[in-house]
Amino acid sequence: MGLKIEVFANNVCKYQNVTLFKEEQNMKKCIAMLLVVLVSITMFAGCASKPALEPSNSGDSQKATEAPKASGEKTGKTITIKVAHGAPEDHSSHAGWIKFKEVVEAESKGTMAVEIYPNQQLGGDREIMEGCQLGNITAGQSSSAPVASFEPSFFVLDIPFLFKSRQQVYEILDGEAGKALLKNLEAKKLKGLGFSENGFRNLTTSSVAVRKPEDLKGMKVRTMENAIHIATWKLLGANPTPIAFGELFTALQQKTIDGQENPFELIYSTKLHEVQKYAIDTQHIYSPLVIVMNIDFYNGLSEENKKIVDKAAKESIELQRSIAAENEQKAKEKIKEKIEVIELTDAERDAFRQMTKPVIEDVKAKAGTEIVDIFLNATK
């Protein structure tokens, strides 16, 4: 690029009827301005001769915890599985994920790494599910009730007093009925890896030793944001109040609500019993934890690595269930040391069951009659 610039000082900078001093000053200003123009043109020409900068191909700018794409294995880089859950680190769920990490990293010989974010570091159940859908989180867990807002067939697990024992729960959830539920998640960009233990949900209150449905009349009971849970407590005469789990302790402490319901292990590990007076062994709903993974991530794995993830999930669930069952009994005993634990008789529990039966029709409307009938027949 060639530029020819001729400067005619007398034509540019000559003014009439001024002193020589003024004329010289103006001449200097003009020359300075022309020099600025020359420098600018030179810089522009230099930039124009260079190719545009391209984005770096280096992986350094990508977060280490970002879920790899389907072709991620072909890069030869370590594949990072970013796991999130809402339970504290002393909860059995965390032990299960530690087992998952150990199996994945050992079986893959270090080609896959697992990072675990417990205690709602990446959000509650809903945020974790949404993160797994988007791929911002690779894998995680959620109580089954919030999962139903993503996949309605999971409402079947919210039928009150559906299961009679843990053993029955495991047989059904690990069998064809449970597999059918997990398969339904695939349309929501989630791969269901199994069900771990959350336990039977039990009621705690700050003022009433509940033994019959009438005792619940007008009581503000915290529930999850789940239509069937809310309908169940309304049938029992309570005033169900959805509150985020992270805000629950404060709400109980400040008497914003009168009670809440959760498995004993979670009640104890999060110290909810310390701001309550009674714990009632209602066992009204069995709420499993649903283990999920972003489906694009899972489908992008080699067949060998898929088998490793499946194996890790299976072993982590087995370990977590055994720890959870043991922890629940220990938690119940610890809670007894602080507050009164009320054991309901079969007849007392049946009174609650009979009053909540109408909710089954609500579940059929949401989850579908077919899946409800499968579970009702399996749990007879």
Side-chain angles (χ1 to χ4, degrees), residues 81-100:
I81 298 176
K82 182 179 178 180
V83 169
H85 69 85
E89 291 176 72
D90 60 352
H91 191 271
S92 57
S93 292
H94 191 64
W97 283 113
I98 292 293
K99 180 68 173 177
F100 179 87

Side-chain angles (χ1 to χ4, degrees), residues 59-262:
D60 293 342
S61 62
Q62 185 180 22
K63 292 182 180 179
T65 56
E66 185 176 333
K69 306 301 181 187
S71 60
E73 296 190 343
K74 298 178 183 178
T75 65
K77 295 179 181 178
T78 300
I79 299 169
T80 301
I81 298 176
K82 182 179 178 180
V83 169
H85 69 85
E89 291 176 72
D90 60 352
H91 191 271
S92 57
S93 292
H94 191 64
W97 283 113
I98 292 293
K99 180 68 173 177
F100 179 87
K101 173 181 172 71
E102 290 173 354
V103 174
V104 165
E105 294 181 350
E107 293 285 330
S108 70
K109 296 180 173 56
T111 61
M112 287 195 288
V114 178
E115 298 177 352
I116 305 172
Y117 298 82
N119 206 24
Q120 300 192 69
Q121 288 182 36
L122 301 184
D125 286 355
R126 175 176 288 278
E127 290 81 7
I128 289 170
M129 290 290 291
E130 290 173 346
C132 286
Q133 281 184 313
L134 296 171
N136 301 327
I137 300 171
T138 317
Q141 72 183 36
S142 169
S143 298
S144 58
V147 177
S149 64
F150 293 84
E151 171 45 52
S153 59
F154 276 76
F155 277 113
V156 70
L157 298 176
D158 296 319
I159 295 176
F161 307 99
L162 177 63
F163 297 105
K164 298 175 179 65
S165 68
R166 266 194 174 81
Q167 189 56 41
Q168 185 187 55
V169 167
Y170 299 159
E171 289 173 1
I172 293 172
L173 293 185
D174 294 344
E176 294 307 312
K179 290 175 182 176
L181 279 181
L182 295 177
K183 182 71 175 176
N184 290 342
L185 289 172
E186 295 184 8
K188 306 300 188 293
K189 297 186 70 65
L190 295 166
K191 171 67 177 177
L193 297 177
F195 299 91
S196 63
E197 174 82 32
N198 198 16
F200 285 95
R201 303 181 76 85
N202 299 288
L203 175 68
T204 68
T205 74
S206 60
S207 59
V208 180
V210 175
R211 283 192 172 275
K212 55 188 183 298
E214 292 77 11
D215 295 332
L216 289 166
K217 187 174 181 180
M219 184 181 294
K220 292 183 71 173
V221 177
R222 178 268 178 182
T223 69
M224 288 183 284
E225 193 175 340
N226 176 284
I228 301 304
H229 284 219
I230 292 170
T232 296
W233 288 103
K234 283 183 178 178
L235 285 170
L236 292 170
N239 179 13
T241 308
I243 292 176
F245 188 78
E247 302 168 10
L248 178 53
F249 184 93
T250 302
L252 291 170
Q253 189 178 45
Q254 295 178 349
K255 308 294 185 184
T256 305
I257 52 176
D258 304 306
Q260 63 84 46
E261 44 87 51
N262 265 300

Side-chain angles (χ1 to χ4, degrees), residues 308-321:
I308 291 173
V309 167
D310 292 343
K311 178 182 180 181
K314 184 175 183 295
E315 292 189 17
S316 70
I317 288 170
E318 289 174 352
L319 175 67
Q320 191 270 344
R321 282 176 175 176

